């Protein structure tokens, strides 16, 4: 098969069939280019894929990606993803958090309702919480509204962003300097509210809530609009991998060829890629959907010194422990009131701000401390991902350092997962009895399973010093080589705009199909 592919000189070879690689392939093929996507694994989607890891194949999990909220509307519309099977169930309430005193908090995609909820819990904090919500809404409107959608095209620098933020010192501080703890403590006083909210500045980030820049993590995750609802998140019908399947259909419909089990071992920029079996695939341009470290490893001696140094300095050690579970039934949360719907929310399991900060500092010393977690019950919205009457649960826990101070992940994986479950059991004592089977993924497991060096789900930290114009550009210093993964602007999560940005840059650099040499 690869011999047949090698007989053609392709306009573009895309390395990796992750969702951004598939997006780039679709746009390039629609522009009339001949495009070959080479995927090392036997399945497409990278971190946004579908798996059946349990004995009962009726349980479907998305091992890394779990929710959609930042997928760009242009990609959805331009590539007609709905026609190719993309459908979303919006999650509402978007947060449910139980507390040690037996109470719980539900937050909704409705600001007026949230004001009432907070007023009932802590009357003096209702207005402050509303201002907190509005801050991140103002950032989203300033940076993500047409015609100034900063996620499209080249990344703006700080002066350009400050201008779009109308030189508002509070918004600028949030985007570049402030900790999530500082923002929360400035707006609400009730310790329960502070407990519930601070994790939103930590998603996928190896930093503590009191560390500078973590407010920007919450800002990034609040910038999406799904199904016309700003800031919302949702479950994709059939699992998150359905996004990648829809992108693959769009790419193939446009003429792209997707080949699985084709591992690239070397990139010759502007000329070819070499496969594991020795095959040489000739291409005028090459797009890497791989992370920067993996891409650098494929370049042999072709990378300029400055580029190699930048890649080596790029922070991309993942802090996330992911546990995918097959459930016989939904667990019972003891703090849930009769009218609560915790399983239909993103359930936050947390301790105080300072306890989370201490857990982070412990992880920096090489000791796992999965004290904060979010739980996702996809089957509460979409029963197709579990056998009839059963459910799936994903646990996204922090902190789990890539490198342990003592022992190995093979020795400690299950015990660390038990620590995470002990945190859940504080509020759902029957959780262990509900679990039929579980899949535990520490950062090295994510690295092996998905090919993300360092096990970082976003191909590198999304703190301010690695965002905007400090993220990688789709254009590399090597002629004919481009990058489209999550390490490029605008960052990690299932966005797909990274792939579109890369395709547009490549097309702008190489001209229309009629101009090819």
């Amino acid at each position: 098969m690869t011999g047949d592919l090698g007989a053609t000189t392709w306009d573009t070879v895309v390395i990796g069939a992750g969702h951004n690689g598939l997006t780039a392939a679709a746009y390039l093929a629609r522009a009339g280019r001949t495009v070959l996507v080479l995927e090392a694994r036997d399945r497409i989607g990278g971190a946004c894929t579908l798996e059946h890891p349990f004995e009962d194949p009726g349980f479907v999990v998305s091992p890394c990606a779990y929710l959609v909220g930042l997928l760009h509307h242009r990609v959805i519309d331009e590539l007609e993803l709905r026609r190719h099977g993309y459908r979303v169930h919006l999650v509402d309430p978007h947060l449910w958090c139980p507390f040690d005193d037996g109470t719980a908090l539900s937050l909704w995609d409705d600001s007026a309702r949230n004001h009432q909820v907070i007023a009932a819990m802590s009357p003096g904090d209702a207005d402050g919480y509303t201002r907190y919500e509005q801050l991140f809404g103002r950032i989203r409107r300033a940076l993500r509204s047409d015609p100034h959608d900063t996620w499209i095209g080249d990344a703006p620098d700080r002066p350009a962003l400050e201008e779009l933020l109308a030189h508002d010192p509070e918004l600028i501080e949030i985007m570049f300097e402030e900790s999530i703890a500082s923002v929360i403590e400035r707006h609400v006083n009730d310790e329960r509210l502070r407990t519930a909210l601070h994790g939103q500045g930590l998603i996928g980030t190896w930093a503590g809530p009191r560390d500078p820049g973590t407010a920007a993590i919450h800002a990034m995750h609040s910038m999406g609009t799904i199904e016309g609802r700003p800031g919302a998140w949702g479950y994709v019908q059939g699992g998150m991998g359905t996004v990648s399947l829809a992108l693959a259909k769009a790419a193939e419909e446009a003429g792209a060829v997707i080949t699985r089990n084709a591992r690239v071992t070397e990139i010759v920029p502007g000329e070819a890629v070499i496969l594991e079996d020795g095959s040489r695939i000739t291409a005028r341009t090459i797009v890497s959907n791989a992370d920067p470290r993996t891409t650098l490893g494929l370049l042999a001696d072709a990378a300029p010194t400055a580029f190699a140094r930048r890649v080596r300095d790029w922070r991309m050690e993942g802090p996330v422990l992911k546990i995918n579970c097959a459930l016989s039934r939904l667990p019972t949360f003891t703090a849930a009131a009769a009218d609560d719907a915790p399983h239909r929310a993103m359930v936050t399991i947390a301790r105080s701000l300072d306890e989370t900060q201490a857990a982070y500092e412990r992880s920096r010393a090489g000791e796992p401390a999965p004290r904060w977690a979010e739980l996702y019950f996809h089957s509460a919205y979409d029963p197709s991902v579990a056998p009839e009457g059963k459910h799936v649960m994903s646990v996204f826990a922090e902190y789990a350092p890539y490198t342990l101070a003592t022992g190995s992940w093979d020795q400690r994986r299950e015990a660390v997962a038990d620590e995470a479950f002990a945190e859940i059991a504080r509020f759902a004592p029957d959780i262990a009895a509900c679990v039929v089977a579980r899949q535990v993924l520490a950062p090295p497991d994510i690295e092996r399973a998905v090919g993300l060096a360092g096990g970082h789900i976003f191909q590198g930290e999304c703190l301010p010093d690695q965002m905007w114009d400090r993220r990688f550009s789709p254009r590399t210093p090597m002629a004919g080589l481009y990058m489209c993964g999550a390490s490029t602007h605008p960052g990690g999560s299932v966005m797909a705009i990274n792939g579109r940005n890369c395709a547009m840059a490549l097309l702008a650099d190489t001209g229309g199909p009629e101009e090819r040499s």
Side-chain angles (χ1 to χ4, degrees):
M1 178 65 175
T2 53
D4 294 338
L5 299 174
T8 300
T9 296
W10 300 85
D11 290 323
T12 302
V13 163
V14 178
I15 301 171
H19 80 279
N20 279 310
L22 294 167
T23 301
Y27 278 101
L28 292 169
R30 282 160 59 97
R33 303 300 174 95
T34 57
V35 181
L36 172 64
V37 182
L38 298 172
E39 169 55 45
R41 299 195 296 167
D42 61 358
R43 69 170 65 88
I44 64 168
C48 182
T49 190
L50 299 176
E51 289 186 2
H52 303 266
F54 306 124
E55 184 176 353
D56 187 335
F59 291 105
V60 182
V61 304
S62 300
C64 293
Y66 42 92
L67 287 171
V68 66
L70 306 184
L71 184 61
H72 204 286
H73 67 92
R74 281 210 185 180
V75 176
I76 295 171
D77 294 341
E78 291 171 352
L79 298 185
E80 302 179 88
L81 297 190
R82 293 181 184 87
R83 182 168 64 83
H84 293 299
Y86 170 75
R87 179 186 165 203
V88 178
H89 304 273
L90 294 177
V91 176
D92 203 22
H94 66 250
L95 180 149
W96 186 83
C97 183
F99 306 111
D100 289 322
D101 66 357
T103 62
L105 171 68
S106 293
L107 292 176
W108 304 78
D109 288 337
D110 181 332
S111 294
R113 185 173 187 177
N114 288 340
H115 190 277
Q116 294 173 351
V117 168
I118 302 298
M121 171 178 280
S122 177
D125 285 325
D127 290 343
Y129 176 77
T130 296
R131 288 194 298 272
Y132 173 82
E133 262 193 357
Q134 290 171 345
L135 272 180
F136 293 95
R138 286 163 57 198
I139 292 171
R140 179 177 58 249
R141 289 189 295 275
L143 302 184
R144 292 295 324 281
S145 298
D146 292 332
H148 301 296
D149 186 344
T150 55
W151 283 9
I152 297 175
D154 295 336
D157 59 13
R158 179 164 178 165
L161 290 166
E162 290 186 0
E163 184 174 352
L164 288 170
L165 294 170
H167 300 285
D168 184 311
E170 186 175 27
L171 302 188
I172 292 168
E173 181 76 3
I174 286 172
M175 288 303 299
F176 293 103
E177 308 292 343
E178 199 165 10
S179 72
I180 190 66
S182 172
V183 183
I184 291 169
E185 289 173 339
R186 194 167 69 249
H187 287 85
V188 297
N189 294 307
D190 192 297
E191 288 299 329
R192 293 171 298 175
L193 295 177
R194 293 176 174 183
T195 293
L197 297 174
H198 73 260
Q200 300 310 303
L202 308 177
I203 305 295
T205 305
W206 203 14
R210 296 200 179 280
D211 287 2
T214 47
I217 299 296
H218 180 41
M220 184 188 86
H221 285 89
S222 302
M223 283 196 203
T225 296
I226 290 292
E227 303 298 295
R229 188 179 297 182
W233 289 78
Y235 291 112
V236 178
Q237 176 71 22
M240 275 295 289
T242 304
V243 173
S244 297
L245 295 175
L247 288 164
K249 290 176 183 176
E252 289 178 324
E253 183 176 85
V257 176
I258 301 171
T259 299
R260 297 163 176 81
N261 298 307
R263 183 178 296 278
V264 174
T265 57
E266 185 178 348
I267 296 171
V268 185
E271 295 183 23
V273 297
I274 311 299
L275 302 188
E276 193 171 40
D277 65 4
S279 301
R280 181 183 177 93
I281 309 293
T282 305
R284 297 179 178 90
T285 54
I286 298 160
V287 171
S288 177
N289 190 189
D291 65 81
R293 196 178 301 168
T294 300
T295 300
L296 180 64
L298 296 175
L299 284 166
D301 298 325
T305 301
F307 179 81
R309 184 184 306 114
R310 186 180 178 206
V311 171
R312 294 189 185 107
D313 290 343
W314 189 248
R315 299 193 315 282
M316 51 186 297
E317 284 195 37
V320 174
L321 182 75
K322 188 79 191 299
I323 311 172
N324 300 305
C325 302
L327 304 181
S328 59
R329 59 179 173 82
L330 292 171
T332 300
F333 289 95
T334 54
D339 58 348
D340 272 356
H343 308 103
R344 292 182 65 82
M346 293 178 270
V347 176
T348 294
I349 302 294
R351 294 179 181 266
S352 70
L353 269 165
D354 288 333
E355 287 176 293
T356 302
Q357 184 70 28
Y360 160 69
E361 290 164 4
R362 179 182 169 189
S363 75
R364 277 291 178 186
E367 281 302 313
R371 297 294 177 266
W372 181 89
E374 273 193 336
L375 316 182
Y376 312 96
F377 298 92
H378 189 141
S379 50
Y381 284 86
D382 170 18
S384 75
V385 297
E388 185 174 356
K390 298 182 180 181
H391 290 272
V392 291
M393 176 182 73
S394 292
V395 180
F396 183 99
E398 293 184 9
Y399 299 91
Y402 180 93
T403 302
L404 300 177
T406 59
S408 69
W409 272 110
D410 284 344
Q411 294 168 328
R412 300 184 62 183
R413 184 183 295 107
E414 294 300 326
V416 175
D418 288 342
E419 284 189 52
F421 265 70
E423 293 297 307
I424 300 168
R426 292 165 52 217
F427 306 106
D430 63 344
I431 183 65
C434 300
V435 177
V436 175
R438 72 184 187 186
Q439 175 194 50
V440 182
L441 300 174
D445 303 313
I446 294 171
E447 180 179 69
R448 283 192 297 270
V450 184
L452 291 169
H456 202 294
I457 58 173
F458 299 147
Q459 290 192 358
E461 288 289 2
C462 290
L463 290 166
D465 65 339
Q466 290 196 171
M467 289 294 285
W468 304 105
D469 60 332
R470 297 186 178 192
R471 209 118 184 116
F472 284 90
S473 166
R475 296 178 173 94
T476 76
M478 292 140 284
L481 176 62
Y482 295 78
M483 294 169 61
C484 72
S487 65
T488 65
H489 174 67
S493 192
V494 178
M495 295 180 172
I497 195 66
N498 313 59
R500 185 186 188 277
N501 286 342
C502 178
M504 295 303 116
L506 190 157
L507 291 169
D509 292 348
T510 58
E514 70 282 0
E515 297 173 16
R516 297 197 309 261
S517 59

